[in-house]
Amino acid sequence: MSGDLAVQVRGLRKAFEDVVAVDGLDLEVGTGEIMGLVGPDGAGKTTTLRMLCGILLPDAGEVRVAGHDAVRDPEEVKARIGYVPQRFSLHRDLTVNENIAYLADLYTVPPGTWTARREELLEITQMAPFRDRLAAALSGGMRQKLSLICALIHRPQVLLLDEPTTGVDPLSRRDFWQILYDLPRQGVTMLLCTPYMDEAARCNRVAFLHQGQILRQDTPAALRESIHSRIFEVRCRPQHLAREMLKRLPLVEGVEVFGDRLHVTLRPEAAPAEAWRALREAGVGELAPREVEPSLEDVFVAMGGEVENRKSEVGNGEDGESGGTGVSPILPSGEPPPPRTGETPVPPGGK
Amino acid sequence: MSRLAHLIKKEFTQVRRDPAVLRLILIAPIMQLVLFGYAASNDVRNVPVAICDQDNSADSRQLAEEISQSRYFHLTPMAGDPRALEGLLLRGTVQIGLHVPRDFHRTLERGQTAQVGMYVDGTDSNNATVAAAYLTGLLRARGVSLAERSARAAGRRGVTMPGIRSEPRVWYNQDLKSVNFMVPGVFAMILLVLTVNLASLAIVRERETGTLEQLLVTPLRARELLIGKTVPFALMAMFDAGIIFLLARGWFHVPFRGSMALLFGMALVFLLHSLGLGLVISALARTQQEAQLTAFMVVMPNILLSGFMYPVENMPVVIQYVTYLIPLRYFLQIVRGIFLRGVGVEVLWPQMAMLVGFGVVTFAIGALAFRKRL
């Protein structure tokens, strides 16, 4: 297997009783890369990470992490990885320093080595003043930062993070990412599960997981460009009425609420003016449609629709319109993004 | 090795910060000693007794005086109707009612055996038997001297017929025997209670708080984890054993006639069994609560069937067979044998062989269950 791949997964499969959690998953992460794993709850993200850690045995497939087989030599893999689980997994009745020392010793890091590392990590995460505080008395954000410090104390080659910032305040999230950004320079590879699209956008590559399979993986930019539907931001009143109206229009693929605005996804071939006219006729006021760059969130939503369509295709046995979007399930990263119009936002009021 | 040392150090740090576990380790052994050394002793003390004295003679009054001065009884005087005794017994005001009939003095004077009615509340059969035996003994002792005195007063010397009918008991006045029996028992019992309780939480606690996940992603081997989880509990149990031993000798003055090395060596063997038992519970339980309830369910019958409080010989035959499956039974025989009789391997080898067998098997099952659950 290739030397510059930090994570290499082939045909990974895991079923729990009658539920298939991971179903033939292939994944490759290059050394020093930040890979984001996104997908709805139950998509198999945590199960995948646990198999990469060597703490869960796969039913089938190959897993190589940091140059070792996670199934045959889990101890070798464990010594070279750091893992930040979704749930806080450190001892609440130990202090920050004690937790770090405990894990450093479990990884048999020589004391002379890790103390300097600890100071450095405490400094970057702004955790130094809390070193003698019990973990139980830390806020959610500080706990996650502590988990990260502990996962990095033995300088792992690969860092696996399972929704590390879920429920963490923005400031702590910023501190958290402060460390993550620095890691690729040190040759650390990261695989990150996240429900936050802004975090996914910071990854080098993002893989969309659905029902234990990767639907598509690419750079965030390429993923955004793969959306052929046009997305408009509309501010209208009354919003709920506009939303109901738009949902019923055949040229509309989806409507999402973003605060006081709606994100309206139109089919690629649709004429936007038609939609706005329909709205005005229904008596919806204050229209200010503006075409926007699709965000990863839009990609995620569109992918959800795609999955739905594919399901109905299977049901009807006919080629649905979703085929027309021209999106292959997995878009190779080498392929140039398809040309598209309307790259710049349409100024407010434009139709 | 340093990995293991730190794992053990961490357990101790956690124990130091957990008031519930600290209580279990520091206060429980002393509490058990006090409870079983004093409160739960088989010796009777201050048993409430009521006397219905219808004779009201010098003899009967002196009998009452004797009873009230004994430290075993607490006298509630009452006069009049002997039927009132029944009410006192029913209400639980007294445990023994004594009825001295009108002809008590005269019967004794005639040199005949006087009848005294004794009504005993048998609800607490154990205590009642002992108390009744004590009182009978006292009556008999007094009766003899009363009869002698009454006979002397009547000018009939030389009559030595016992004046009051009684049933003598061998263990009467064996005041400290109970402590000598109980305290070595506590030595054995506390090891079981402490280690089963602590070990039963070993995995399930880390699982419930989520820390097991973190532990598993480290390169720590299952064997190291097993040792790291059991050694601290064994050390704490041995610490408690030491405290109890010192208190038994220094405070309760329990004789110690055997080998100390043998006693503590066998304690270690017994810990193999109790820790194994705890590990099995910890592996099967899904929550800490479930583990603790299961530990309680396991420990209770162990103690009852071991002969800790009631001699195995007093149990029904079928139950006696069951007690052969209780390793605490063998350990108790060993501990009491070493403490009180000063015997060693030459006498206790069958019990020791059984204990070693149970220890090895239980710990092996525990270790297996532990590995499986990781």
Side-chain angles (χ1 to χ4, degrees), chain A residues 109-190:
Chain A
V109 186
T113 319
W114 64 257
T115 41
R117 175 77 167 152
R118 178 189 66 192
E119 294 313 307
E120 181 194 339
L121 289 169
L122 284 174
E123 207 54 53
I124 314 174
T125 49
Q126 327 261 344
M127 287 283 285
F130 310 106
R131 55 170 71 238
D132 292 319
R133 197 180 272 193
L134 289 181
L138 296 177
S139 71
M142 290 203 275
R143 281 185 191 177
Q144 286 313 90
K145 288 194 275 183
L146 176 59
S147 297
L148 182 59
I149 293 172
C150 288
L152 289 173
I153 196 70
H154 60 294
R155 292 188 183 275
Q157 296 169 23
V158 178
L159 183 62
L160 303 165
L161 306 114
D162 191 359
E163 304 200 2
T165 60
T166 299
V168 166
D169 68 281
L171 277 179
S172 293
R173 266 175 81 188
R174 197 193 57 195
D175 291 344
F176 200 89
W177 273 89
Q178 208 76 47
I179 308 181
L180 295 192
Y181 270 143
D182 208 37
L183 292 172
R185 278 199 292 115
Q186 302 164 24
V188 178
T189 308
M190 270 177 277

Side-chain angles (χ1 to χ4, degrees), chain B residues 89-169:
Chain B
L89 283 166
L90 267 178
R91 267 175 273 128
T93 315
V94 299
Q95 204 167 13
I96 297 177
L98 218 54
H99 175 216
V100 183
R102 276 181 227 290
D103 57 352
F104 180 72
H105 173 72
R106 262 184 290 134
T107 314
L108 286 175
E109 220 174 24
R110 283 200 299 270
Q112 291 173 346
T113 300
Q115 299 286 337
V116 171
M118 195 201 287
Y119 308 96
V120 182
D121 173 7
T123 315
D124 179 355
S125 60
N126 219 28
N127 206 16
T129 314
V130 179
Y134 275 37
L135 189 56
T136 312
L138 186 139
L139 287 176
R140 183 170 175 254
R142 279 321 304 158
V144 174
S145 59
L146 279 177
E148 278 180 353
R149 214 200 60 199
S150 299
R152 256 201 310 276
R156 290 206 250 150
R157 290 192 72 88
V159 176
T160 52
M161 277 283 290
I164 300 170
R165 182 157 294 157
S166 68
E167 230 177 83
R169 287 298 256 252

Side-chain angles (χ1 to χ4, degrees), chain B residues 3 24 81 162 224 226 275 349:
Chain B
R3 200 149 64 182
L24 185 66
D81 198 349
E224 290 174 296
L226 178 69
L275 286 170
W349 65 266

Side-chain angles (χ1 to χ4, degrees), chain B residues 78-294:
Chain B
M78 60 158 290
D81 198 349
R83 275 173 298 183
L85 281 175
E86 200 188 336
L88 286 175
L89 283 166
L90 267 178
R91 267 175 273 128
T93 315
V94 299
Q95 204 167 13
I96 297 177
L98 218 54
H99 175 216
V100 183
R102 276 181 227 290
D103 57 352
F104 180 72
H105 173 72
R106 262 184 290 134
T107 314
L108 286 175
E109 220 174 24
R110 283 200 299 270
Q112 291 173 346
T113 300
Q115 299 286 337
V116 171
M118 195 201 287
Y119 308 96
V120 182
D121 173 7
T123 315
D124 179 355
S125 60
N126 219 28
N127 206 16
T129 314
V130 179
Y134 275 37
L135 189 56
T136 312
L138 186 139
L139 287 176
R140 183 170 175 254
R142 279 321 304 158
V144 174
S145 59
L146 279 177
E148 278 180 353
R149 214 200 60 199
S150 299
R152 256 201 310 276
R156 290 206 250 150
R157 290 192 72 88
V159 176
T160 52
M161 277 283 290
I164 300 170
R165 182 157 294 157
S166 68
E167 230 177 83
R169 287 298 256 252
V170 212
W171 21 306
Y172 172 60
N173 210 16
Q174 291 290 315
D175 196 45
L176 285 168
K177 187 101 183 192
S178 180
V179 167
N180 291 351
F181 179 75
M182 278 302 190
V183 170
V186 173
F187 179 92
M189 182 198 63
I190 205 80
L191 291 185
L192 178 81
V193 173
L194 193 74
T195 46
V196 169
N197 272 302
L198 289 178
S200 70
L201 295 178
I203 328 172
V204 74
R205 191 175 119 133
E206 298 241 12
R207 183 180 297 280
E208 224 180 15
T209 56
T211 50
L212 190 66
E213 182 102 348
Q214 190 74 56
L215 206 53
L216 292 182
V217 295
T218 68
L220 193 75
R221 286 168 201 283
R223 182 175 4 100
E224 290 174 296
L225 188 57
L226 178 69
I227 299 170
K229 277 284 166 193
T230 48
V231 166
F233 302 145
L235 288 175
M236 290 170 207
M238 291 308 273
F239 171 77
D240 273 0
I243 288 184
I244 294 175
F245 181 81
L246 289 177
L247 285 175
R249 299 287 295 121
W251 183 258
F252 289 98
H253 303 293
V254 176
F256 186 76
R257 305 186 171 106
S259 148
M260 216 154 102
L262 190 65
L263 178 75
F264 283 89
M266 289 323 286
L268 278 176
V269 175
F270 180 69
L271 286 182
L272 276 183
H273 160 71
S274 60
L275 286 170
L277 206 58
L279 288 178
V280 173
I281 294 171
S282 197
L284 295 179
R286 273 156 304 175
T287 63
Q288 292 189 60
Q289 194 189 22
E290 195 183 322
Q292 280 180 311
L293 290 175
T294 313

